[in-house]
Amino acid sequence: MTDSEVAVGVTHVADDTMKMTGCGSCGMYMILEGAPGKSFVCMKCHLIELMEEKIRGLEMQVESLVEFRKGFEQIMEQRHEVSEGKSSDLQMEAGLGNSEGRLGEESGQWKHVTKRTRQRKRRASEGEIELQNRFAELEKEEGAQQVVTEGDRARKKRRAVSPIGKGEELMEITPNMSPRRIQDGLKRITRENGNGKNLQPEGTGDRLENSTVTRKRQVYVIGDSLLRRIDRPVTRADPENRRVCCLPGAKIRDVDLRLKRILKGAGKNPLIILHVGTNDTARFSLESIKGDYARLGRTLKEIEAQVIFSGILPVPREGQQRCDKIMTINRWLRQWCYKEGFGMYGHWEAFMDRGQFSRDGLHLSREGNRLLGWRLAQLIKRALN
């Protein structure tokens, strides 16, 4: 027998064993192996039947719970009715006991006291009326306000008395009060009362006319992004008169253009510290950087101020060539500042540690910021003194 004949025989046997059968529940036809029973049910219909059985079981449980709840509510209602009946009986007994006790008290006999009898407060009779002043506390407070303490008396002795019209108005003069503030207060009092009298305290007229209020020197620290997070150590000594102006990515030309706008209202002879040039060393040549410094110097001479240039810091990420260029500019900057009458403060040796810079090798770490801020604060202290 050949292979083809064997294959044909196997297919005929497979056709004989596989038969088409219909589901008795949904009517769907399926091809099954062998002869199934008469009441054949497919798998899907079988699962549905199981689900219906579970649903019926749950419904029966819900019905039993509802019946149980109804029975429980009926039992609780019965108990509540019984307890109300008992409480009414006890109240009646207590009422009888109280009446007997009152009778016994009137006749001088023994009094019957039950367990639930409570001692009630005796109310005032109609003839007894309690009289009480509800405003007694307010009178006490008014009396307390009229009492003058020894501290108030001592403070009144230090005040300058100025008669105005019918009454008297007191203006307290403290040792920390400025002459201008005293004069403004006296003018205000004169304007409000309209009498035009001279209300200045004795001996203060000449002092107010001749005195002048002196303003502290303003300090400005201006530079690029290396000045981040140094404002606290720099301005801690005098926050009102010290400013830190950080211009991220700024070059010498940018500082020159914004300088007059930043120093607007700086006062007379401010102290200016400039830390700029790091970004210029990465893009411009030495001659171009020198020219930018020269233009910045001409702008600073137009402003009457004390100027100090802060030396450029090393850049560890750029290698030795960039460091050599920065050192060359710092040497030229020191000579140029001496020639033009400016100050120069270098930091090269203090920032040789790589840990004082952040991961990018350009900006300072927190330790480097603290060090630079401390050095600039010491520089300001020496320059002002």
Side-chain angles (χ1 to χ4, degrees):
M1 182 181 291
T2 61
D3 294 337
S4 59
E5 292 176 354
V6 172
V8 172
V10 172
T11 53
H12 285 299
V13 173
D15 293 338
D16 293 338
T17 56
M18 304 297 288
K19 291 184 180 182
M20 185 176 292
T21 308
C23 178
S25 178
C26 62
M28 297 293 293
Y29 286 96
M30 299 180 65
I31 298 174
L32 300 175
E33 183 179 356
K38 294 181 179 180
S39 60
F40 173 74
V41 180
C42 63
M43 182 60 66
K44 294 182 180 179
C45 296
H46 183 65
L47 293 175
I48 292 172
E49 290 178 357
L50 293 176
M51 189 178 296
E52 291 176 351
E53 290 179 0
K54 290 183 179 180
I55 291 171
R56 285 194 293 270
L58 292 174
E59 290 177 350
M60 293 175 64
Q61 291 179 5
V62 171
E63 291 177 357
S64 62
L65 289 174
V66 171
E67 293 177 357
F68 175 77
R69 183 176 180 180
K70 290 181 179 179
F72 180 75
E73 290 177 353
Q74 292 177 359
I75 293 171
M76 294 302 294
E77 289 178 358
Q78 293 176 1
R79 289 185 178 180
H80 185 63
E81 292 175 356
V82 172
S83 62
E84 285 182 352
K86 290 182 179 180
S87 62
S88 62
D89 296 338
L90 291 173
Q91 288 177 0
M92 291 176 66
E93 292 178 0
L96 293 173
N98 292 333
S99 61
E100 292 176 358
R102 286 196 296 272
L103 291 172
E105 185 179 358
E106 291 174 357
S107 61
Q109 298 178 0
W110 291 94
K111 181 174 63 174
H112 177 70
V113 180
T114 61
K115 184 178 181 181
R116 293 182 176 271
T117 303
R118 295 181 181 177
Q119 185 178 2
R120 297 181 180 179
K121 293 183 180 179
R122 184 181 178 184
R123 296 181 181 178
S125 61
E126 295 180 358
E128 297 177 358
I129 301 175
E130 295 183 3
L131 300 178
Q132 183 179 2
N133 186 5
R134 295 182 297 172
F135 304 100
E137 297 296 332
L138 295 177
E139 293 178 357
K140 292 180 182 179
E141 293 180 0
E142 291 178 358
Q145 291 178 358
Q146 294 176 358
V147 177
V148 181
T149 60
E150 295 181 359
D152 295 337
R153 291 174 181 174
R155 186 163 53 253
K156 285 184 178 181
K157 291 180 181 180
R158 294 195 300 267
R159 292 179 179 176
V161 183
S162 58
I164 300 174
K166 296 181 180 180
E168 294 183 353
E169 183 173 353
L170 303 178
M171 186 181 72
E172 184 176 358
I173 301 177
T174 60
N176 296 329
M177 187 178 292
S178 62
R180 181 178 295 178
R181 187 176 178 183
I182 297 173
Q183 191 174 9
D184 293 341
L186 294 174
K187 288 181 180 179
R188 178 179 57 79
I189 297 172
T190 304
R191 184 171 59 255
E192 291 177 356
N193 294 274
N195 52 10
K197 294 181 180 180
N198 185 14
L199 301 178
Q200 295 181 0
E202 297 180 359
T204 60
D206 298 336
R207 179 167 54 86
L208 293 176
E209 293 178 358
N210 298 329
S211 63
T212 57
V213 179
T214 58
R215 182 184 179 185
K216 291 185 178 181
R217 289 181 63 188
Q218 301 292 305
V219 179
Y220 288 84
V221 181
I222 306 170
D224 49 22
S225 58
L226 292 176
L227 299 182
R228 289 176 180 171
R229 297 189 294 270
I230 70 163
D231 50 344
R232 288 187 178 181
V234 171
T235 62
R236 185 182 293 115
D238 191 1
E240 296 181 357
N241 298 304
R242 296 187 184 185
R243 302 287 185 274
V244 177
C245 183
C246 177
L247 305 173
K251 294 180 283 295
I252 302 173
R253 298 175 184 176
D254 301 327
V255 175
D256 187 16
L257 293 174
R258 302 183 185 182
L259 187 61
K260 292 184 178 180
R261 189 188 310 171
I262 295 171
L263 298 177
K264 187 177 181 180
K268 184 179 179 181
N269 192 23
L271 174 61
I272 304 173
I273 299 176
L274 297 171
H275 185 89
V276 66
T278 304
N279 297 318
D280 296 80
T281 57
R283 300 183 180 182
F284 305 118
S285 61
L286 292 175
E287 298 300 328
S288 178
I289 295 172
K290 293 178 182 179
D292 293 339
Y293 272 119
R295 280 190 292 271
L296 179 60
R298 288 192 291 270
T299 304
L300 290 169
K301 286 185 177 181
E302 295 176 1
I303 305 170
E304 295 182 359
Q306 181 182 359
V307 182
I308 300 175
F309 281 88
S310 177
I312 304 174
L313 300 181
V315 182
R317 74 175 185 183
E318 297 295 337
Q320 189 63 34
Q321 185 177 1
R322 177 83 173 273
C323 292
D324 294 341
K325 184 178 181 180
I326 293 173
M327 292 177 66
T328 303
I329 294 173
N330 284 335
R331 284 194 296 268
W332 174 86
L333 183 63
R334 185 177 297 276
Q335 296 175 0
W336 176 78
C337 289
Y338 179 78
K339 180 181 178 182
E340 298 294 332
F342 302 140
M344 199 274 181
Y345 187 62
H347 311 278
W348 189 269
E349 295 180 356
F351 286 88
M352 296 301 295
D353 187 4
R354 182 63 175 82
Q356 296 169 348
F357 293 86
S358 59
R359 294 181 179 180
D360 60 1
L362 176 63
H363 299 92
L364 297 176
S365 61
R366 293 188 179 275
E367 182 182 355
N369 288 324
R370 286 194 293 267
L371 178 59
L372 181 60
W374 178 81
R375 290 177 64 84
L376 293 179
Q378 296 298 319
L379 173 63
I380 295 170
K381 183 178 179 180
R382 292 197 297 269
L384 293 179
N385 294 333

Short mmCIF file of all heavy atoms in Angstrom, two decimals, residues 124-155:
data_model
loop_
_atom_site.label_atom_id
_atom_site.label_comp_id
_atom_site.label_asym_id
_atom_site.label_seq_id
_atom_site.Cartn_x
_atom_site.Cartn_y
_atom_site.Cartn_z
N ALA A 124 -37.30 80.70 94.24
CA ALA A 124 -37.70 81.86 95.04
C ALA A 124 -39.20 82.04 94.93
O ALA A 124 -39.79 81.85 93.86
CB ALA A 124 -36.97 83.11 94.58
N SER A 125 -39.80 82.35 96.01
CA SER A 125 -41.24 82.57 96.02
C SER A 125 -41.58 83.84 95.26
O SER A 125 -40.70 84.62 94.89
CB SER A 125 -41.74 82.63 97.46
OG SER A 125 -41.13 83.71 98.13
N GLU A 126 -42.85 84.04 95.04
CA GLU A 126 -43.26 85.21 94.28
C GLU A 126 -42.88 86.50 94.99
O GLU A 126 -42.58 87.51 94.37
CB GLU A 126 -44.76 85.15 94.05
CG GLU A 126 -45.17 83.98 93.17
CD GLU A 126 -46.67 83.96 92.95
OE1 GLU A 126 -47.36 84.83 93.53
OE2 GLU A 126 -47.13 83.08 92.21
N GLY A 127 -42.86 86.45 96.29
CA GLY A 127 -42.53 87.67 97.02
C GLY A 127 -41.04 87.94 97.09
O GLY A 127 -40.63 89.08 97.32
N GLU A 128 -40.21 86.90 96.88
CA GLU A 128 -38.75 87.08 96.94
C GLU A 128 -38.20 87.30 95.54
O GLU A 128 -38.22 86.39 94.71
CB GLU A 128 -38.11 85.85 97.57
CG GLU A 128 -38.56 85.63 99.00
CD GLU A 128 -37.96 84.38 99.56
OE1 GLU A 128 -37.24 83.70 98.78
OE2 GLU A 128 -38.17 84.06 100.74
N ILE A 129 -37.72 88.48 95.22
CA ILE A 129 -37.19 88.85 93.90
C ILE A 129 -35.71 89.17 94.06
O ILE A 129 -35.33 90.00 94.89
CB ILE A 129 -37.95 90.05 93.32
CG1 ILE A 129 -39.44 89.70 93.18
CG2 ILE A 129 -37.37 90.44 91.97
CD1 ILE A 129 -40.29 90.87 92.73
N GLU A 130 -34.88 88.50 93.25
CA GLU A 130 -33.44 88.75 93.31
C GLU A 130 -33.10 90.01 92.52
O GLU A 130 -33.47 90.13 91.35
CB GLU A 130 -32.68 87.56 92.73
CG GLU A 130 -32.86 86.30 93.55
CD GLU A 130 -32.04 85.17 92.98
OE1 GLU A 130 -31.32 85.43 92.00
OE2 GLU A 130 -32.12 84.06 93.52
N LEU A 131 -32.40 90.90 93.17
CA LEU A 131 -31.98 92.16 92.55
C LEU A 131 -30.49 92.07 92.26
O LEU A 131 -29.70 91.76 93.15
CB LEU A 131 -32.28 93.34 93.49
CG LEU A 131 -33.76 93.54 93.86
CD1 LEU A 131 -33.91 94.70 94.83
CD2 LEU A 131 -34.59 93.78 92.61
N GLN A 132 -30.08 92.33 90.99
CA GLN A 132 -28.68 92.22 90.60
C GLN A 132 -28.37 93.28 89.57
O GLN A 132 -29.18 93.52 88.64
CB GLN A 132 -28.41 90.83 90.01
CG GLN A 132 -26.95 90.61 89.64
CD GLN A 132 -26.72 89.24 89.09
OE1 GLN A 132 -27.66 88.46 88.95
NE2 GLN A 132 -25.48 88.91 88.78
N ASN A 133 -27.23 93.92 89.71
CA ASN A 133 -26.80 94.95 88.76
C ASN A 133 -25.98 94.29 87.66
O ASN A 133 -24.88 93.80 87.90
CB ASN A 133 -25.97 96.01 89.48
CG ASN A 133 -25.62 97.18 88.57
OD1 ASN A 133 -26.08 97.24 87.43
ND2 ASN A 133 -24.81 98.10 89.08
N ARG A 134 -26.51 94.27 86.45
CA ARG A 134 -25.80 93.62 85.34
C ARG A 134 -24.62 94.42 84.84
O ARG A 134 -23.78 93.92 84.11
CB ARG A 134 -26.76 93.40 84.17
CG ARG A 134 -27.89 92.43 84.49
CD ARG A 134 -28.76 92.22 83.28
NE ARG A 134 -29.40 93.46 82.88
CZ ARG A 134 -30.10 93.62 81.74
NH1 ARG A 134 -30.22 92.59 80.91
NH2 ARG A 134 -30.65 94.77 81.44
N PHE A 135 -24.53 95.69 85.19
CA PHE A 135 -23.46 96.55 84.68
C PHE A 135 -22.36 96.78 85.71
O PHE A 135 -21.58 97.72 85.60
CB PHE A 135 -24.03 97.91 84.25
CG PHE A 135 -25.14 97.80 83.24
CD1 PHE A 135 -26.46 97.88 83.62
CD2 PHE A 135 -24.84 97.59 81.91
CE1 PHE A 135 -27.47 97.77 82.69
CE2 PHE A 135 -25.84 97.47 80.98
CZ PHE A 135 -27.17 97.57 81.35
N ALA A 136 -22.30 95.90 86.70
CA ALA A 136 -21.27 96.06 87.73
C ALA A 136 -19.88 95.83 87.17
O ALA A 136 -18.92 96.52 87.52
CB ALA A 136 -21.55 95.10 88.89
N GLU A 137 -19.74 94.85 86.24
CA GLU A 137 -18.43 94.56 85.67
C GLU A 137 -17.92 95.73 84.83
O GLU A 137 -16.73 96.04 84.82
CB GLU A 137 -18.51 93.29 84.82
CG GLU A 137 -18.87 92.04 85.59
CD GLU A 137 -17.82 91.68 86.60
OE1 GLU A 137 -16.63 92.03 86.36
OE2 GLU A 137 -18.16 91.09 87.64
N LEU A 138 -18.83 96.39 84.09
CA LEU A 138 -18.41 97.54 83.29
C LEU A 138 -17.91 98.68 84.18
O LEU A 138 -16.95 99.37 83.84
CB LEU A 138 -19.57 98.02 82.43
CG LEU A 138 -20.05 97.03 81.35
CD1 LEU A 138 -21.25 97.60 80.62
CD2 LEU A 138 -18.95 96.73 80.36
N GLU A 139 -18.60 98.86 85.32
CA GLU A 139 -18.14 99.91 86.23
C GLU A 139 -16.75 99.61 86.77
O GLU A 139 -15.91 100.50 86.93
CB GLU A 139 -19.14 100.05 87.38
CG GLU A 139 -20.50 100.59 86.93
CD GLU A 139 -21.48 100.67 88.09
OE1 GLU A 139 -21.07 100.24 89.20
OE2 GLU A 139 -22.61 101.16 87.90
N LYS A 140 -16.46 98.30 87.02
CA LYS A 140 -15.12 97.93 87.48
C LYS A 140 -14.08 98.23 86.43
O LYS A 140 -12.99 98.72 86.73
CB LYS A 140 -15.10 96.45 87.85
CG LYS A 140 -15.94 96.12 89.08
CD LYS A 140 -15.87 94.63 89.39
CE LYS A 140 -16.73 94.29 90.60
NZ LYS A 140 -16.68 92.82 90.89
N GLU A 141 -14.40 97.90 85.15
CA GLU A 141 -13.43 98.17 84.07
C GLU A 141 -13.18 99.66 83.92
O GLU A 141 -12.05 100.10 83.71
CB GLU A 141 -13.95 97.58 82.77
CG GLU A 141 -13.99 96.06 82.78
CD GLU A 141 -14.50 95.52 81.46
OE1 GLU A 141 -14.80 96.35 80.57
OE2 GLU A 141 -14.58 94.28 81.33
N GLU A 142 -14.25 100.49 84.02
CA GLU A 142 -14.04 101.93 83.92
C GLU A 142 -13.18 102.45 85.06
O GLU A 142 -12.31 103.31 84.88
CB GLU A 142 -15.40 102.63 83.93
CG GLU A 142 -16.22 102.37 82.65
CD GLU A 142 -17.57 103.04 82.72
OE1 GLU A 142 -17.85 103.67 83.77
OE2 GLU A 142 -18.32 102.95 81.73
N GLY A 143 -13.40 101.86 86.23
CA GLY A 143 -12.57 102.28 87.36
C GLY A 143 -11.12 101.89 87.18
O GLY A 143 -10.20 102.63 87.54
N ALA A 144 -10.90 100.70 86.57
CA ALA A 144 -9.52 100.26 86.34
C ALA A 144 -8.83 101.11 85.30
O ALA A 144 -7.63 101.34 85.36
CB ALA A 144 -9.52 98.79 85.92
N GLN A 145 -9.61 101.56 84.29
CA GLN A 145 -9.01 102.40 83.25
C GLN A 145 -8.61 103.76 83.79
O GLN A 145 -7.71 104.42 83.27
CB GLN A 145 -9.99 102.55 82.10
CG GLN A 145 -10.20 101.27 81.30
CD GLN A 145 -11.21 101.45 80.19
OE1 GLN A 145 -11.78 102.53 80.04
NE2 GLN A 145 -11.43 100.40 79.44
N GLN A 146 -9.32 104.24 84.82
CA GLN A 146 -9.00 105.55 85.38
C GLN A 146 -7.75 105.55 86.24
O GLN A 146 -7.19 106.59 86.56
CB GLN A 146 -10.20 106.05 86.20
CG GLN A 146 -11.44 106.34 85.34
CD GLN A 146 -12.63 106.74 86.17
OE1 GLN A 146 -12.54 106.77 87.40
NE2 GLN A 146 -13.73 107.05 85.51
N VAL A 147 -7.29 104.35 86.62
CA VAL A 147 -6.11 104.25 87.47
C VAL A 147 -4.87 104.46 86.60
O VAL A 147 -4.68 103.78 85.60
CB VAL A 147 -6.05 102.89 88.17
CG1 VAL A 147 -4.78 102.77 88.99
CG2 VAL A 147 -7.28 102.72 89.05
N VAL A 148 -4.02 105.33 86.96
CA VAL A 148 -2.80 105.64 86.21
C VAL A 148 -1.64 104.95 86.90
O VAL A 148 -1.40 105.17 88.08
CB VAL A 148 -2.57 107.15 86.13
CG1 VAL A 148 -1.31 107.46 85.32
CG2 VAL A 148 -3.78 107.84 85.54
N THR A 149 -0.92 104.12 86.17
CA THR A 149 0.20 103.40 86.75
C THR A 149 1.41 104.30 86.89
O THR A 149 1.47 105.41 86.32
CB THR A 149 0.55 102.20 85.86
OG1 THR A 149 0.90 102.70 84.57
CG2 THR A 149 -0.62 101.25 85.73
N GLU A 150 2.37 103.81 87.65
CA GLU A 150 3.58 104.60 87.85
C GLU A 150 4.37 104.76 86.56
O GLU A 150 5.00 105.78 86.33
CB GLU A 150 4.45 103.93 88.92
CG GLU A 150 3.80 103.90 90.29
CD GLU A 150 4.70 103.24 91.31
OE1 GLU A 150 5.80 102.81 90.91
OE2 GLU A 150 4.32 103.19 92.50
N GLY A 151 4.33 103.69 85.69
CA GLY A 151 5.04 103.80 84.41
C GLY A 151 4.48 104.88 83.53
O GLY A 151 5.21 105.61 82.85
N ASP A 152 3.13 105.02 83.51
CA ASP A 152 2.50 106.07 82.71
C ASP A 152 2.88 107.45 83.24
O ASP A 152 3.11 108.40 82.48
CB ASP A 152 1.00 105.90 82.71
CG ASP A 152 0.57 104.62 82.02
OD1 ASP A 152 1.38 104.13 81.19
OD2 ASP A 152 -0.53 104.11 82.30
N ARG A 153 2.92 107.57 84.57
CA ARG A 153 3.29 108.87 85.14
C ARG A 153 4.72 109.25 84.77
O ARG A 153 5.01 110.41 84.43
CB ARG A 153 3.14 108.82 86.64
CG ARG A 153 1.69 108.70 87.10
CD ARG A 153 1.61 108.51 88.60
NE ARG A 153 0.23 108.37 89.05
CZ ARG A 153 -0.11 108.08 90.29
NH1 ARG A 153 0.85 107.90 91.22
NH2 ARG A 153 -1.39 107.96 90.62
N ALA A 154 5.62 108.25 84.82
CA ALA A 154 7.01 108.55 84.46
C ALA A 154 7.14 108.91 82.99
O ALA A 154 7.95 109.76 82.62
CB ALA A 154 7.88 107.34 84.78
N ARG A 155 6.33 108.24 82.15
CA ARG A 155 6.38 108.54 80.72
C ARG A 155 5.82 109.92 80.42
O ARG A 155 6.28 110.62 79.53
CB ARG A 155 5.63 107.46 79.94
CG ARG A 155 5.76 107.60 78.44
CD ARG A 155 5.37 106.33 77.71
NE ARG A 155 4.05 105.85 78.08
CZ ARG A 155 3.81 104.80 78.84
NH1 ARG A 155 4.83 104.10 79.34
NH2 ARG A 155 2.57 104.41 79.14
#
